[in-house]
Amino acid sequence: RETVSRIQIASNLYLTMGNWLVDHWLSVLILVAWLGLNIFLFVYAFLIYEKADKYFYTREILGTALAFARASALCLNCNSMLILIPVCRNLLSFLRGTCSFCNHTLRKPLDHNLTFHKLVAYMICVFTAIHIIAHLFNFEHYSRSQQAMDGSLASVLSSLSRHEKESNSWLNPIQSPNMTVIYATFTSIAGLTGVILTIALILMVTSAVEFIRRNYFELFWYTHHLFIIYIICLALHGMGGIVRAQTEDSMGESHPYNCSKSFHEWDKYVSSCRRPHFEGHPPESWKWILAPIALYIFERILRFYRSQQRVVITKVVMHPSNVLELQMRKRGFSMEVGQYIFVNCPSVSLLEWHPFTLTSAPEEDFFSIHIRSAGDWTENLIRAFEHQHSPMPRIQVDGPFGTVSEDVFQFEVAVLVGAGIGVTPFASILKSIWYKFQRADHKLKTQKIYFYWICRETGAFAWFNNLLSSLEQEMEELGKIGFLNYRLFLTGWDSNIAGHAALNFDKATDILTGLKQKTSFGRPMWDNEFSTIATAYPKSVVGVFLCGPQTLAKSLSKCCHRYSSLDPRKVQFYFNKEIF
Amino acid sequence: MGQIEWAMWANEQALASGLILITGGIVATAGRFTQWYFGTYSIAAGVFICLLEYPRGKRKKGSTMERCGQKYMTSVVKLFGPLTRNYYVRAVLHLLLSVPAGFLLATILGTACLAIASTIYLLAAIRGEQWIPIEPKPKERPQVGGTIKQPPTNPPPRPPAEVRKKPSVEEEGAGGPQVNPIPVTDEVV
């Protein structure tokens, strides 16, 4: 028996890894390609600056720190180009739309855009650190060789002055032994822009940590616009031509292989070697970032244009526990289940846009959101709509965005689990499934839904309650009571509530929710649930969809493995981890 | 913007500045740059700042995510009472700490970041924010039998022995009329 279960565990593990890879191969590919690109660019630039002849004299003063600085600079240019692209959400929506014939797996990476943005940001931080440390060494070496009186090659090279007739002959930007590195830094374009953009980067990072972002979103949003300073300073950063290489002509005339040893005799008549001449590079950062900047400006213009289109509010409903429902219409708006929109209300705040999951089904002729009071902006918005006598505030909408999991309609049996606020997208899904069922939509393969709603207390979701009870009613009318099987689990129960429930055990409807299905207390015992479903549908493919915390995802995916039969003809549970 | 607790951001910024000071200090000291002793100062200042800023303060509303293992530093930082509670003190402290690091290029970034953190702390102090330590919640154990001092000494009251006897067979027939022990007349007018 033990060997059988070990084989089962092992094969389930492979199946999981296999399943995961099948679902995510494109994301993994993109990640590997991006890492590979970074490594390639770093090594490429490193080798050039470490080996090329035109940097021979530069290396004489600076050593390997030169190569580190330049290699990290190239990677910084590349990553600064890449970082703007994942935040162009309209562009990504467009890509997703044009790829609608594509497999759902191909579109998955588009939904991980913010993860990619963060990864690129971390990489920028790492390379910035390398770049700055390398340049600290570079400036120190330049300073030392300018002050050195030992007649070494380095000190001779440093004495090549920029004020002489051939203004191109200087190598060392620190021209006098009295100049400190701090002075040299802040009086050069590269140094000044470098310091400013690093400070901007640090401020962006400290205000974007999860703790600040979740709790003080506006602080994150406004501070993150420092990226404009970052971009401008980056474009200007290379303008000083401070990294110098020997010119072609000078190399032809006095190649370092021939002339580096005889530096005491440069420009003397007897020697064939002349003083080397150097030139700086033109700035290249702008070439990398120009296209993404243009794309991003276009994206912001597009967002503005879309937001200017009129949104007609067709219905305003105040639900219990201070939940506001807005039903709206907008020309050209088309949505799919589980998507979200960004909402702006100029009378509450001119600049803030907040995301909300859509709670209406695509089959309805309006789109709706349910807004809970969760902070400054939401409270003010709800208050603005509560005033019956003042004119209705104007709303601007951008979207819809987000992943579209059409898989939810593809399974014969669907197990839907919504925890806490994760129940919101299921409003859209349940309604849509019901509409499709009524119209006998052939795209809908679902025959049975098990819906688990887990929350602390139903207070703020009383509106969802109403949705369930109206679905209950409609199913009764159509005689299809068995189609939707839902259970509500209250995890925030106390002895009072339990006492009440025990007293009212015989009543037909639940005392807390008024629904026909009784409320359960505590967390669901997934083993029982899964074994019941497996017994009821021994030959079906069951899709499990979750919108909730990671711990729940783990237990559900474990149960999926445990209750999936080894025989592919028998019951199979597929866990859809990424949802909405 | 009214609900922003600036001290939370100042705390992140100061922690980052501490790390930057340490890094810059290590580079300057290891590379024996000119005036590298400022680098050594920078490392010490950076470590001090990181230790001071590591324990996150409690938010005014809602629950606060603790940093990993911060409770040890919380108890130390708590000891200094008003010196660590008050954000004016922190603002001035960070400003003073940042000055010596400004003499060295390797640590000047740390200076700038720490000065910014100091400014944000000043803003927090003006708005009346304070550092409140996150206390571990005392585990509420359900007091099983807390009110039971001693078991009852008397048995519970019971009716007399005759009534406790099992009911006789005649009374099993519940359908029959009641037999009155005393004749009763029914007065119907």
Side-chain angles (χ1 to χ4, degrees):
Chain A
R1 232 312 301 242
E2 206 176 275
T3 16
V4 170
S5 69
R6 274 209 203 126
I7 294 173
Q8 193 163 11
I9 293 173
S11 69
N12 273 338
L13 191 65
Y14 283 121
L15 232 102
T16 329
M17 280 169 25
N19 274 338
W20 186 86
L21 206 58
V22 161
D23 273 345
H24 291 94
W25 64 270
L26 191 56
S27 305
V28 171
L29 190 65
I30 292 177
L31 204 65
V32 167
W34 170 68
L35 281 171
L37 178 65
N38 275 293
I39 294 175
F40 167 73
L41 287 174
F42 191 89
V43 171
Y44 171 74
F46 191 90
L47 288 176
I48 288 185
Y49 283 87
E50 188 67 0
K51 301 283 182 212
D53 290 337
K54 58 180 175 168
Y55 298 108
F56 184 92
Y57 290 121
T58 326
R59 282 198 296 276
E60 189 57 39
I61 304 183
L62 297 180
T64 316
L66 170 70
F68 272 106
R70 296 305 304 156
S72 53
L74 183 59
C75 291
L76 279 172
N77 280 335
C78 180
N79 282 305
S80 300
M81 168 185 81
L82 291 174
I83 200 165
L84 274 177
I85 298 177
V87 287
C88 296
R89 54 176 186 250
N90 279 298
L91 168 70
L92 296 180
S93 283
F94 173 72
L95 274 177
R96 192 186 290 120
T98 46
C99 280
S100 54
F101 56 86
C102 287
N103 187 343
H104 162 66
T105 318
L106 284 176
R107 285 179 283 154
K108 242 191 174 73
L110 292 173
D111 307 324
H112 300 302
N113 55 336
L114 283 181
T115 314
F116 187 62
H117 178 84
K118 283 184 227 174
L119 275 176
V120 176
Y122 288 136
M123 199 62 118
I124 287 184
C125 291
V126 167
F127 281 125
T128 303
I130 299 177
H131 186 77
I132 293 180
I133 293 175
H135 271 320
L136 285 173
F137 278 100
N138 287 336
F139 267 97
E140 186 67 19
H141 289 149
Y142 269 142
S143 173
R144 276 190 205 161
S145 61
Q146 185 59 260
Q147 292 168 353
M149 294 289 141
D150 54 2
S152 60
L153 174 56
S155 68
V156 168
L157 287 168
S158 302
S159 63
L160 299 171
S161 166
R162 65 173 86 197
H163 298 298
E164 289 177 359
K165 169 161 60 111
E166 300 128 351
S167 62
N168 249 356
S169 58
W170 64 277
L171 173 61
N172 190 333
I174 298 183
Q175 290 283 293
S176 101
N178 295 331
M179 194 193 279
T180 61
V181 286
I182 293 189
Y183 183 85
T185 304
F186 283 95
T187 50
S188 61
I189 297 179
L192 190 60
T193 53
V195 170
I196 295 176
L197 73 81
T198 312
I199 294 179
L201 178 67
I202 293 171
L203 287 175
M204 277 196 276
V205 170
T206 57
S207 62
V209 293
E210 180 115 18
F211 180 69
I212 304 277
R213 210 174 62 237
R214 284 214 189 277
N215 300 320
Y216 313 107
F217 186 81
E218 297 119 338
L219 176 65
F220 154 69
W221 175 248
Y222 289 122
T223 319
H224 227 63
H225 283 81
L226 282 170
F227 78 89
I228 301 175
I229 297 191
Y230 176 88
I231 295 283
I232 295 176
C233 287
L234 181 63
L236 297 173
H237 189 61
M239 291 193 79
I242 214 174
V243 175
R244 319 213 70 191
Q246 195 175 3
T247 59
E248 283 287 322
D249 296 337
S250 176
M251 295 249 286
E253 204 181 41
S254 334
H255 199 274
Y257 285 171
N258 307 328
C259 296
S260 60
K261 298 271 175 8
S262 57
F263 59 88
H264 297 290
E265 291 166 3
W266 282 342
D267 288 340
K268 295 221 175 96
Y269 288 124
V270 293
S271 131
S272 55
C273 291
R274 297 266 164 273
R275 244 191 309 201
H277 292 236
F278 298 95
E279 62 185 353
H281 295 303
E284 24 171 84
S285 297
W286 66 272
K287 297 181 198 160
W288 289 87
I289 59 179
L290 195 58
I293 292 178
L295 264 174
Y296 188 74
I297 292 178
F298 182 65
E299 156 81 23
R300 293 299 285 251
I301 294 176
L302 193 61
R303 279 189 210 174
F304 180 72
Y305 170 71
R306 285 178 77 169
S307 72
Q308 289 300 95
Q309 303 202 306
R310 220 157 69 92
V311 173
V312 179
I313 301 178
T314 55
K315 199 164 172 196
V316 177
V317 185
M318 276 303 296
H319 288 280
S321 295
N322 222 15
V323 171
L324 173 73
E325 176 183 352
L326 291 176
Q327 293 183 5
M328 301 171 271
R329 262 208 271 253
K330 184 174 168 213
R331 211 145 61 108
F333 187 90
S334 90
M335 63 168 277
E336 313 210 35
V337 291
Q339 290 196 301
Y340 60 94
I341 52 172
F342 275 85
V343 175
N344 166 291
C345 186
S347 57
V348 170
S349 167
L350 258 183
L351 295 172
E352 289 174 44
W353 288 81
H354 292 251
F356 291 96
T357 312
L358 289 163
T359 48
S360 56
E363 287 84 2
E364 296 174 308
D365 60 357
F366 59 88
F367 62 94
S368 71
I369 51 174
H370 284 69
I371 303 170
R372 239 179 12 146
S373 167
D376 265 341
W377 188 86
T378 39
E379 268 178 34
N380 289 331
L381 184 74
I382 294 174
R383 217 175 292 145
F385 275 92
E386 264 173 350
H387 290 146
Q388 310 229 342
H389 299 295
S390 40
M392 193 130 68
R394 196 164 65 91
I395 292 273
Q396 293 180 351
V397 160
D398 191 17
F401 304 105
T403 131
V404 173
S405 189
E406 259 137 31
D407 297 348
V408 95
F409 305 123
Q410 302 301 331
F411 290 91
E412 222 181 295
V413 180
V415 174
L416 311 176
V417 181
I421 194 163
V423 85
T424 324
F426 287 113
S428 172
I429 294 175
L430 285 176
K431 279 198 255 189
S432 184
I433 290 184
W434 183 240
Y435 279 116
K436 288 190 163 62
F437 189 73
Q438 278 184 307
R439 300 175 192 176
D441 190 332
H442 61 275
K443 271 196 292 194
L444 179 72
K445 303 235 174 44
T446 316
Q447 294 299 315
K448 174 84 180 183
I449 303 177
Y450 290 93
F451 179 60
Y452 296 90
W453 181 15
I454 306 165
C455 61
R456 245 205 208 104
E457 34 124 45
T458 52
F461 300 105
W463 61 271
F464 195 78
N465 242 351
N466 297 337
L467 169 65
L468 283 180
S469 67
S470 65
L471 279 179
E472 226 175 15
Q473 255 185 313
E474 295 191 20
M475 285 194 297
E476 260 187 56
E477 283 167 20
L478 264 190
K480 290 278 178 195
I481 301 185
F483 181 67
L484 172 65
N485 173 322
Y486 61 88
R487 308 269 307 278
L488 162 62
F489 290 84
L490 287 184
T491 53
W493 60 279
D494 61 24
S495 44
N496 244 340
I497 299 180
H500 269 267
L503 277 178
N504 292 294
F505 189 68
D506 294 331
K507 293 230 175 69
T509 52
D510 189 79
I511 34 142
L512 277 175
T513 57
L515 298 168
K516 292 249 168 59
Q517 300 258 16
K518 290 307 178 83
T519 311
S520 311
F521 297 100
R523 296 206 175 87
M525 297 208 283
W526 294 114
D527 280 299
N528 293 352
E529 306 293 334
F530 273 74
S531 65
T532 316
I533 298 173
T535 325
Y537 291 91
K539 289 224 173 63
S540 310
V541 177
V542 183
V544 179
F545 296 83
L546 165 72
C547 188
Q550 192 61 15
T551 42
L552 193 48
K554 286 204 189 110
S555 27
L556 282 178
S557 91
K558 262 197 237 153
C559 281
C560 283
H561 298 147
R562 213 177 291 148
Y563 291 93
S564 286
S565 154
L566 276 178
D567 182 351
R569 291 169 303 172
K570 300 234 180 78
V571 68
Q572 295 291 320
F573 287 91
Y574 282 124
F575 182 60
N576 290 262
K577 191 161 172 207
E578 303 296 338
I579 180 170
F580 316 111
Chain B
M1 297 280 255
Q3 289 185 10
I4 293 185
E5 290 178 60
W6 295 93
M8 296 294 152
W9 182 30
N11 170 267
E12 301 282 342
Q13 180 69 15
L15 196 57
S17 314
L19 292 171
I20 295 172
L21 279 172
I22 295 176
T23 315
I26 293 178
V27 169
T29 316
R32 285 286 195 268
F33 290 178
T34 326
Q35 293 182 315
W36 60 270
Y37 35 86
F38 280 114
T40 344
Y41 160 81
S42 193
I43 299 176
V47 169
F48 170 70
I49 291 168
C50 282
L51 288 174
L52 171 65
E53 298 287 345
Y54 190 70
R56 200 178 259 150
K58 200 156 127 152
R59 287 173 62 204
K60 275 198 202 120
K61 247 187 0 172
S63 61
T64 317
M65 266 297 285
E66 281 193 3
R67 288 203 180 98
C68 191
Q70 79 168 41
K71 54 182 192 242
Y72 307 108
M73 274 318 297
T74 310
S75 36
V76 174
V77 173
K78 235 177 22 173
L79 284 176
F80 290 88
L83 278 181
T84 44
R85 221 181 20 236
N86 190 315
Y87 284 140
Y88 281 112
V89 172
R90 278 205 207 195
V92 171
L93 176 69
H94 286 322
L95 196 59
L96 292 176
L97 283 176
S98 67
V99 170
F103 289 102
L104 200 56
L105 181 64
T107 52
I108 206 169
L109 193 61
T111 302
C113 291
L114 195 56
I116 293 177
S118 159
T119 320
I120 308 174
Y121 265 130
L122 186 64
L123 179 59
I126 292 175
R127 285 167 42 95
E129 295 176 28
Q130 279 209 328
W131 187 80
I132 303 166
I134 301 179
E135 308 283 359
K137 266 193 286 226
K139 281 224 168 78
E140 280 174 30
R141 226 160 272 169
Q143 290 296 328
V144 180
T147 52
I148 297 179
K149 296 284 190 283
Q150 43 188 286
T153 49
N154 295 322
R158 289 195 180 94
E162 303 100 42
V163 187
R164 262 187 294 138
K165 267 202 216 118
K166 279 228 162 29
S168 42
V169 187
E170 295 100 69
E171 283 189 17
E172 296 270 9
Q178 177 171 324
V179 176
N180 292 326
I182 305 167
V184 173
T185 47
D186 180 24
E187 287 171 359
V188 177
V189 180

